[in-house]
Amino acid sequence: MLHVGAQPLAIDQLRHGGADAAAVDRFLDAHDVPLVEGATGTFLWRGEADAVRVQHWVVGLPNPLPMERLDGTDLWFAVTDLPEGSRVEYRLEVVHGDHVDNVEDPRNPNHAHNPYGSNSVVHGTGYEVPDWIELDEDARRGELRDLVLHSAALGRSVHAKVYLPARYRPTARYPLLVVHDGTDYLTFAAAQTVLDNLIHRLDVAELVAVFLDPGDRLVEYANHEGHARFVADELVPELERALPLIDHRGGRCLMGSSFGAIAAFSTAVRYPDRFGSLLLQSGSFAFTDIGSDHGGGPVFDPVVAFVNAYRAEPTRVADRLYVTCGTYEPMIRGSRAMVPVFRGTGAEVRYVEARDGHNWENWRDRLRDGLAWVFPGPQKFVYE
């Protein structure tokens, strides 16, 4: 495979230079893997195999993407478009006879984390990790407190973390952010550091956040009556008794990603008078228009039934919805389909797509825009 373009790619130069093992050694020592050259990415793998393929989740590309062996060497490569600012998750399929090893790229140190594990990720030209996810010595740290609450609705004790902003004052009144998959947001999306920095920079209002973890996630987050009742009738009232929170819907936001977005959304559907805002990232908005084969397996059955019922009779469940999704993930179809449905209820909707996948880094990178829109700080009021 030769790249057709104005400038030859590095792999083309190696190919035409009479590559041997020593040339491949020098080539790999000189380049990061995958190679990113303008709007083109070159995947590489070295070793003996019958075939090597790139597995990915980009709609429109052959999947898996076959790699070609460079003549006279054990170097395999595949070239593809890589739009500016994109992040593309992938894995490598290494074939030996009937056996296929599905592995992360051993030469790539970058990984993307998702609800099921991790994959390698290639960063397109222009993508930069946001500086507001890093510890800022000038930003005062908020506090995370443990919360244990027995839930009659769920029939179990719920362990959560409550975030208080750095300058927390009992005499003030704070909005409340309820975060599903809380430990994952704290671990993989640096949520505490993000809140500290965005509040310090005046992008986001001082707020209280509660980070929840599910019991059986695929049950409790899939339109579960008990979970909704726990959040609306047990958790929020308890927090409002203990903390100086704004006690009306305009001061409350439910947030989640993937199935967590369904948990937030379905809670708001059941309690439309309780929450003023929703922040939904890569929501698992699976639905069917004809038939029942949605392709998601049994765990998606209650989600599909819920989304189908909502689409049949949409209701206004919040005043404002921030909805985001990656263009390189299967959830893009559902997110695009739901946005006009949400807008049709009269709710204000901001919809943001990113050239990214179904992973925590995508959801992390969207937090500044989403949180600043839901709970803007004084900086946003001045400059927007």
Side-chain angles (χ1 to χ4, degrees), residues 9-12 27-28 30-38 40-44 78-80 82 90 105 122-123:
L9 298 175
I11 192 68
D12 297 332
F27 183 80
L28 292 175
H31 296 92
D32 294 330
V33 175
L35 282 76
V36 178
E37 299 166 274
T40 302
T42 302
F43 298 94
L44 298 169
V79 178
T80 189
L82 192 62
Y90 70 98
D105 188 339
V122 54
H123 297 168

Side-chain angles (χ1 to χ4, degrees), residues 63-196:
N63 191 19
L65 184 67
M67 301 181 82
E68 181 180 351
R69 186 168 185 162
L70 194 66
D71 289 342
T73 76
D74 58 356
L75 183 67
W76 299 76
F77 69 96
V79 178
T80 189
D81 292 338
L82 192 62
E84 182 176 355
S86 60
R87 293 173 72 254
V88 174
E89 285 182 79
Y90 70 98
R91 300 179 70 84
L92 298 177
E93 295 181 350
V94 182
V95 181
H96 297 276
D98 296 332
H99 180 74
V100 179
D101 287 319
N102 185 290
V103 298
E104 294 186 66
D105 188 339
R107 296 182 182 275
N108 182 358
N110 296 316
H111 304 276
H113 300 84
N114 60 58
Y116 308 103
S118 63
N119 297 308
S120 296
V121 63
V122 54
H123 297 168
T125 300
Y127 171 78
E128 294 184 2
V129 177
D131 64 354
W132 42 265
I133 73 161
E134 304 292 345
L135 282 175
D136 181 346
E137 293 183 357
D138 293 331
R140 292 179 60 178
R141 297 275 285 167
E143 179 184 359
L144 278 181
R145 294 182 179 176
D146 292 323
L147 171 70
V148 181
L149 182 63
H150 179 74
S151 170
L154 292 173
R156 65 178 177 87
S157 293
V158 176
H159 295 254
K161 297 282 188 185
V162 177
Y163 170 87
L164 304 180
R167 293 176 175 81
Y168 172 78
R169 304 174 305 280
T171 54
R173 286 290 180 270
Y174 297 94
L176 175 65
L177 177 70
V178 178
V179 183
H180 294 82
D181 290 314
T183 296
D184 286 339
Y185 266 103
L186 290 166
T187 303
F188 299 119
Q192 182 179 6
T193 300
V194 168
L195 287 173
D196 290 340

Side-chain angles (χ1 to χ4, degrees), residues 218-274:
L218 297 180
V219 173
E220 291 186 2
Y221 281 7
N223 183 34
H224 189 265
E225 188 277 335
H227 173 76
R229 184 153 53 91
F230 161 67
V231 172
D233 287 344
E234 297 176 346
L235 176 68
V236 171
E238 176 61 24
L239 291 172
E240 289 182 350
R241 280 191 291 271
L243 299 168
L245 299 176
I246 297 171
D247 60 354
H248 59 75
R249 55 185 271 134
R252 305 183 192 119
C253 176
L254 299 175
M255 170 174 144
S257 59
S258 191
F259 258 51
I262 295 297
F265 174 42
S266 60
T267 297
V269 169
R270 283 190 165 86
Y271 296 89
D273 59 337
R274 303 289 181 87

